[in-house]
Amino acid sequence: MGRLEDAQELVKTDQPGAEAIYRDIVSTPPGMNDEDLRNYELALMDLGGLYRDSRRTSELAELIKTSRAVLSAFAKAKTAKIVRQLIDLFTTIPDTLDIQITVTRSCIEWAISERRSFLRQNLETRLIGLYLQKHSYTEAITLINALLKELKRLDDKMVLVEVQLLESRAYHALRNIPKSRASLTSARTSANAVYCSPLMQAGLDMQSGILHAEDKDYNTAYSYFIEALDGYSAQDETKKSVAALKYMLLSKIMLNLTDDVHQIMTGKLAIKYAGRDIEAMKAVARAHSNRSLAEFELALADYKEELGSDTFIRSHFTALYDTLLEQNLVRVIEPFSRVEIEHVAKLVGLGTGQVEGKLSQMILDKVFSGVLDQGTGCLIVFDEVGRDKSYDAALETIKKLSDVVEVLYTNQASLLD
């Protein structure tokens, strides 16, 4: 039995002993035959996995740094694969975003010094994704612009699709929807010219659904989210599958299709991904169906992490809550011509200040006619006055007369010429 096999056996009973053997193997440059290279690679990944499992991030970062000198002797494709796999070990360790960015930057600098363009491009693409996770959108856009110029020149469609999709996500996060849509269109055009992996296709579908939802086209968004869920589920991407399922439910909630929400909830995929994320959407759907602000607020409070951590869901539920509040206020004030704001607040179960602010906004938006009497703390509601049809007819007559005068003036001018 070789030293590598000894270490693999020791991991189960004596981790420090196994670590010592692994460290000894990776500290010695391997021979150039295939077996030595394979054993070195296995020892390197096993030691990295050991650091990951014990959440020793600094040791893992140091391992990546020290192994690069040896990896320089490997084939370029093999080196790129190993470096990516080592960095991937960080992804399952919580709160390691900053160290991932630091390590990735360091590896990019090394790739530049070694003139490994493919690895550098791959790592820069990864770094863009990390910047988006950290909400460092300026850094992400700067890197995207530089990388896109290079990729378009090289006509590397595979990486180009990924970078353009990241660009779309970055602009969406910055609320620049037109640019986000343009980037997604470019990504789909590039994807049509090359084989696109199922995971990448699912990402394109997910982003398409998100942008359609921004346009309030929830039916089309729902169709894209179904495609994304199928793609992610087939690739065993649990986290992304749950997100796609939540977005499907969001689309149905925004369309006020409660029966469809229930049907999805009892479906095979919803049962597969059952958990607090799906329960959170169920609670919101129930509150919306009951037109209950109290239930809505309770759901947002009980599932703060599940509903508040996703900016896409949070923005749409903020709009949904606003609409629900507006509907409740209209229903409450309908019987009154004059009512105390405090009384309205009690009826809808909210604070007086919040209700007063919303009523003021509704008056400005001409949802109803009225005025706030802050001296007495009352809302005065005016009777709706129908639009005078004779006024519209007069405007139409004036417009037609204006057109006639314009034609006569043009004819007169042509005669003088």
Side-chain angles (χ1 to χ4, degrees):
M1 184 181 287
R3 295 168 66 213
L4 179 61
E5 289 79 4
D6 290 340
Q8 290 171 338
E9 283 295 321
L10 272 176
V11 166
K12 304 168 187 174
T13 56
D14 181 15
Q15 284 197 1
E19 181 186 342
I21 297 174
Y22 283 137
R23 288 174 66 88
D24 187 49
I25 294 173
V26 300
S27 63
T28 306
M32 295 312 293
N33 62 70
D34 290 342
E35 185 178 354
D36 287 343
L37 293 173
R38 185 178 65 82
N39 287 339
Y40 181 87
E41 180 185 348
L42 289 172
L44 187 63
M45 294 308 303
D46 285 348
L47 181 57
L50 195 149
Y51 288 150
R52 175 201 60 201
D53 295 340
S54 55
R55 298 190 176 183
R56 293 157 64 184
T57 54
S58 56
E59 284 90 340
L60 180 55
E62 185 62 26
L63 176 66
I64 295 171
K65 181 180 178 181
T66 55
S67 63
R68 292 191 309 229
V70 178
L71 291 176
S72 297
F74 282 55
K76 289 186 177 182
K78 174 66 73 174
T79 302
K81 177 188 172 186
I82 295 172
V83 171
R84 288 199 306 270
Q85 287 178 334
L86 286 171
I87 298 176
D88 281 341
L89 294 173
F90 282 107
T91 56
T92 56
I93 308 173
D95 303 321
T96 57
L97 191 56
D98 287 333
I99 195 169
Q100 284 186 65
I101 290 173
T102 302
V103 170
T104 306
R105 280 175 173 168
S106 174
C107 288
I108 289 171
E109 291 172 2
W110 173 75
I112 292 171
S113 67
E114 291 286 316
R115 296 183 179 179
R116 296 178 182 244
S117 299
F118 174 75
L119 176 59
R120 173 185 56 76
Q121 291 167 2
N122 196 284
L123 291 172
E124 286 180 344
T125 303
R126 182 190 185 89
L127 183 58
I128 292 166
L130 294 173
Y131 280 148
L132 294 184
Q133 288 182 47
K134 196 181 178 183
H135 309 304
S136 300
Y137 303 120
T138 304
E139 290 89 340
I141 293 294
T142 302
L143 187 53
I144 285 168
N145 290 337
L147 192 54
L148 281 178
K149 286 180 183 177
E150 182 180 355
L151 293 172
K152 286 175 182 176
R153 188 175 67 251
L154 297 171
D155 200 30
D156 189 343
K157 291 285 196 299
M158 290 288 286
V159 185
L160 190 60
V161 173
E162 188 175 358
V163 176
Q164 286 170 332
L165 178 57
L166 288 169
E167 182 183 35
S168 178
R169 289 172 180 165
Y171 280 123
H172 175 257
L174 292 169
R175 306 305 301 162
N176 191 334
I177 304 301
K179 279 197 172 183
S180 178
R181 193 177 292 109
S183 299
L184 180 63
T185 301
S186 299
R188 284 199 169 278
T189 303
S190 301
N192 289 335
V194 71
Y195 168 75
C196 196
S197 69
L199 203 57
M200 181 60 65
Q201 186 60 54
L204 292 169
D205 289 332
M206 190 78 143
Q207 187 66 9
S208 296
I210 288 171
L211 291 179
H212 277 286
E214 294 290 0
D215 292 335
K216 312 300 182 191
D217 184 2
Y218 294 108
N219 278 314
T220 307
Y222 178 79
S223 301
Y224 276 115
F225 291 143
I226 289 178
E227 295 296 327
L229 176 59
D230 288 342
Y232 286 137
S233 182
Q235 299 298 312
D236 292 324
E237 289 282 343
T238 302
K239 189 175 180 180
K240 292 178 179 178
S241 296
V242 170
L245 181 56
K246 286 168 70 177
Y247 294 172
M248 285 169 59
L249 292 168
L250 168 70
S251 299
K252 292 299 183 182
I253 291 169
M254 298 303 288
L255 289 167
N256 197 23
L257 298 173
T258 310
D259 291 341
D260 288 0
V261 171
H262 178 72
Q263 188 177 347
I264 296 169
M265 293 292 296
T266 55
K268 182 174 68 176
L269 284 173
I271 293 170
K272 179 181 178 181
Y273 298 113
R276 281 186 60 83
D277 287 283
I278 308 305
E279 287 300 316
M281 301 303 290
K282 185 178 180 180
V284 171
R286 190 187 307 114
H288 182 52
S289 176
N290 296 335
R291 293 289 187 269
S292 171
L293 277 172
E295 285 185 39
F296 201 113
E297 288 196 321
L298 184 62
L300 294 178
D302 288 346
Y303 299 99
K304 187 176 181 180
E305 176 62 28
E306 290 77 13
L307 299 175
S309 59
D310 190 316
T311 53
F312 175 68
I313 285 181
R314 187 171 67 239
S315 65
H316 283 274
F317 278 170
T318 299
L320 184 63
Y321 177 82
D322 205 49
T323 302
L324 195 56
L325 173 58
E326 197 170 283
Q327 291 172 350
N328 273 259
L329 287 172
V330 168
R331 189 178 70 244
V332 165
I333 66 174
E334 193 173 15
F336 301 102
S337 59
R338 184 184 181 93
V339 60
E340 289 183 349
I341 298 171
E342 188 177 348
H343 180 64
V344 175
K346 285 180 181 178
L347 289 175
V348 295
L350 296 174
T352 305
Q354 184 180 354
V355 170
E356 185 178 346
K358 183 59 183 176
L359 287 171
S360 176
Q361 180 189 333
M362 289 167 68
I363 292 169
L364 291 172
D365 292 342
K366 297 183 180 179
V367 176
F368 68 92
S369 298
V371 65
L372 291 172
D373 186 347
Q374 292 182 319
T376 59
C378 289
L379 168 68
I380 302 168
V381 183
F382 302 141
D383 291 333
E384 290 292 333
V385 179
R387 189 178 179 90
D388 191 345
K389 292 183 179 180
S390 62
Y391 176 74
D392 291 330
L395 286 176
E396 184 66 23
T397 302
I398 292 170
K399 182 179 182 303
K400 288 181 178 179
L401 285 171
S402 177
D403 292 340
V404 170
V405 170
E406 184 67 29
V407 170
L408 290 171
Y409 176 79
T410 304
N411 291 341
Q412 184 66 25
S414 63
L415 289 173
L416 292 173
D417 291 341

